[in-house]
């Protein structure tokens, strides 16, 4: 199998940037853009924002506003027509977003005589019909470098509970699992606490974030007790990034892993969610001393999560 290089990653992101330019009047869903780039839906957002410097939603919104500004100058279309084409359902939210971006409401910008100037974009890409995508400059950010290794992890069985909401409050779900396990003598020196995360908290509304909080149990453990689930994490190759410090900073390590390390690793992330292994107890450890292993499943080995509801495993 030919190694996936950083050039491959950049070419796949360029395909998305070009697709956005050519389909601005469409919905442009993350699923569709992930397919265009041939990236897993689980990891597309982090790779895109890590290389482009803005989320897909922010990018599409900015490009549509830039197109709208050009139409105000070049055409006599009404503001509401242009607003609707930019994806806004009414005049007021469009005007508010336009003013925030350009420093002037649409009607005022239309009257200005000086050349239309767009504010700087980190990726260098603006709206246009020429070679705008060729101007793409990937974001370079090494300030959050962390230690990374590629390891083959053993298969693990988890006793888990589903969680939905703010990832920083998932401790309550772990407390529930650990309390149940402690009452039944399931906690031992080799028990690991593991969280499986299905959404990117940088782009998903907090109320919609989905996860499982679990602890490792014997492979023979079962069936699942009422109110809990059994999830089998497969053996396979994983990139393991070692995050040191408070959980509140985890998203910074994710951004670097997916935006900088992965595109240069000559590997692809498998179409499975990441999981985190917590190496110490937050109740007994100062936040700056916490150690979390961020585990990214890699293409090249059999990957099959068993026990997760079908709706949670998006293709």
């Amino acid at each position: 199998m030919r190694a996936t290089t950083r050039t491959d990653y950049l070419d796949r992101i360029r395909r998305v940037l070009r697709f956005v330019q050519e389909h601005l009047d469409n919905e442009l869903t993350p699923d569709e853009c992930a397919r265009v780039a041939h990236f897993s839906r689980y990891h597309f957002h982090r790779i895109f924002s890590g290389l482009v410097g803005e989320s897909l939603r922010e990018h599409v919104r900015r490009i549509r506003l830039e197109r709208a500004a050009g139409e105000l100058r070049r055409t006599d279309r009404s503001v509401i027509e242009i607003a609707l084409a930019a994806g806004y359902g009414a005049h007021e939210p469009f005007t508010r977003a336009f003013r925030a971006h350009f420093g002037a409401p649409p009607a005022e910008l239309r009257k200005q005589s000086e050349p239309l100037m767009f504010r700087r974009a980190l990726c260098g890409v603006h709206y246009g019909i020429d070679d705008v995508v060729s101007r793409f400059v990937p974001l370079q950010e090494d300030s959050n470098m962390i230690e990374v290794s590629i390891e083959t992890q053993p298969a693990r069985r988890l006793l888990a509970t589903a969680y939905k909401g703010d990832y920083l409050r998932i401790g309550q779900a772990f407390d529930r699992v650990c309390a149940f396990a402690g009452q039944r003598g399931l906690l031992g020196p080799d028990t690991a606490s593991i969280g499986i995360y299905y959404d990117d908290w940088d782009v998903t509304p907090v109320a919609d974030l989905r996860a499982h909080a679990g602890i490792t149990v014997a492979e023979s453990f079962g069936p699942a007790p009422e109110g809990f689930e059994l999830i089998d994490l497969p053996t396979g190759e994983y990139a393991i990034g070692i995050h040191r410090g408070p959980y509140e900073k985890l998203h910074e390590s994710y951004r670097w892993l997916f935006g900088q390390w992965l595109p240069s690793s000559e590997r692809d992330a498998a179409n499975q969610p990441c999981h985190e292994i917590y190496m110490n107890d937050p109740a007994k450890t100062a936040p700056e001393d916490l150690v979390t292993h961020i585990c990214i499943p890699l293409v090249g080995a059999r990957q099959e999560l068993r026990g997760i509801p079908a709706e949670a495993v998006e293709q």
Side-chain angles (χ1 to χ4, degrees), residues 216-269:
T216 52
V217 292
E219 186 177 347
S220 59
F221 182 87
E226 184 177 356
F228 296 90
E229 304 168 47
L230 291 177
I231 296 175
D232 290 318
L233 288 174
T235 184
E237 278 192 303
Y238 291 79
I240 301 175
I242 302 178
H243 171 86
R244 304 181 188 276
Y247 299 144
E248 289 83 353
K249 298 284 189 177
L250 272 164
H251 66 287
E252 296 179 5
S253 292
Y254 272 94
R255 286 174 185 165
W256 181 81
L257 281 168
F258 282 94
Q260 303 301 319
W261 181 84
L262 187 62
S264 300
S265 69
E266 299 189 348
R267 299 298 297 269
D268 266 327

Side-chain angles (χ1 to χ4, degrees), residues 297-309:
L298 298 175
V299 169
R302 180 175 177 269
Q303 302 285 345
E304 181 184 351
L305 280 170
R306 295 184 298 277
I308 294 178

Side-chain angles (χ1 to χ4, degrees), residues 142-251:
D142 291 330
S143 61
N144 296 309
M145 289 180 62
I146 62 175
E147 180 183 345
V148 184
S149 61
I150 295 178
E151 302 177 10
T152 299
Q153 289 197 347
R156 292 184 172 99
R157 170 160 285 194
L158 303 184
L159 174 65
T161 184
Y163 173 81
K164 192 171 185 179
D166 188 347
Y167 281 163
L168 293 178
R169 297 181 180 275
I170 197 174
Q172 58 191 281
F174 279 105
D175 289 343
R176 180 168 174 253
V177 177
C178 289
F180 176 89
Q183 293 170 1
R184 286 155 180 80
L186 299 176
L187 297 179
D190 296 327
T191 301
S193 294
I194 296 179
I196 304 173
Y197 298 91
Y198 304 101
D199 301 301
D200 180 354
W201 64 350
D202 282 333
V203 297
T204 304
V206 170
D208 296 331
L209 292 170
R210 301 163 304 151
H212 273 96
I215 62 164
T216 52
V217 292
E219 186 177 347
S220 59
F221 182 87
E226 184 177 356
F228 296 90
E229 304 168 47
L230 291 177
I231 296 175
D232 290 318
L233 288 174
T235 184
E237 278 192 303
Y238 291 79
I240 301 175
I242 302 178
H243 171 86
R244 304 181 188 276
Y247 299 144
E248 289 83 353
K249 298 284 189 177
L250 272 164
H251 66 287

